[in-house]
């Protein structure tokens, strides 16, 4: 079991190293979005690689410019880790709103709305495009 976590940690470390030192917007060997390549439309994940590169350099505004949904996703992951950690190590019982029955519906609506709106070619929606 520990070998599995060591392997995952090693892969994540290598990926973070690559995304820190190489800009996906300028390098050709990073994978391109297959949805954008086929349709010419932006998916909810388009710009996430460039957003990660900017986030690793602490350029929050550039991260938002590439993919605003990426930042919201990171906040939800951090929130989940904090609530789980407090509940486990402090013996608390705080409610984690990510496990509310309506959260998947809300997130689905948010992702679909973001997907549609970032492809609208007029202001202010064009600012959602990467």
């Amino acid at each position: 079991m520990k070998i599995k976590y060591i392997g995952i940690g090693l892969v994540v470390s290598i990926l973070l190293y690559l995304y820190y030192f190489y800009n996906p917007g300028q390098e050709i060997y990073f994978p391109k979005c297959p949805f954008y390549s086929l349709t010419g439309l932006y998916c909810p994940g388009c710009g996430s690689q460039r957003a990660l590169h900017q986030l690793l350099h602490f350029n929050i505004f550039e991260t938002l410019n590439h993919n605003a949904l990426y930042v919201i996703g990171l906040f939800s992951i951090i929130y989940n880790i904090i609530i789980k950690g407090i509940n486990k190590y402090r013996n608390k019982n705080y409610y984690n709103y990510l496990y509310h029955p309506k959260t998947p519906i809300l997130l689905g609506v948010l992702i679909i709305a973001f997907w549609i709106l970032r492809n609208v070619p007029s202001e202010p929606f064009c600012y959602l495009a990467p």
Side-chain angles (χ1 to χ4, degrees):
M1 195 68 162
K2 287 184 180 184
I3 293 174
K4 175 180 157 183
Y5 290 122
I6 292 172
I8 291 171
L10 184 63
V11 168
V12 168
S13 298
I14 291 169
L15 286 173
L16 289 175
Y17 173 84
L18 288 172
Y19 280 106
Y20 182 83
F21 288 107
Y22 299 101
N23 187 349
Q26 297 172 346
E27 304 292 338
I28 61 169
Y29 49 84
F30 284 97
K32 305 296 181 213
C33 176
F35 185 79
Y36 180 77
S37 297
L38 290 172
T39 65
L41 298 172
Y42 299 115
C43 75
C46 280
S48 294
Q49 293 183 75
R50 295 182 300 269
L52 176 61
H53 174 75
Q54 294 300 328
L55 185 66
L56 290 172
H57 290 278
F58 298 106
N59 297 331
I60 303 301
F61 292 115
E62 282 299 314
T63 302
L64 286 169
N65 283 338
H66 290 298
N67 192 330
L69 197 60
Y70 185 79
V71 176
I72 295 170
L74 286 177
F75 279 129
S76 66
I77 291 169
I78 292 168
Y79 167 80
N80 190 36
I81 291 170
I82 289 172
I83 294 297
K84 281 185 171 186
I86 288 172
N87 287 343
K88 183 176 181 178
Y89 296 111
R90 299 271 174 125
N91 294 324
K92 301 287 184 179
N93 195 20
Y94 292 130
Y95 183 70
N96 190 336
Y97 289 100
L98 292 177
Y99 295 122
H100 189 277
K102 294 189 179 181
T103 301
I105 296 167
L106 177 68
L107 291 175
V109 168
L110 177 70
I111 290 168
I112 291 170
F114 181 73
W115 192 346
I116 293 169
L117 293 176
R118 76 186 320 203
N119 287 295
V120 175
S122 62
E123 284 193 30
F125 307 116
C126 63
Y127 297 119
L128 294 175

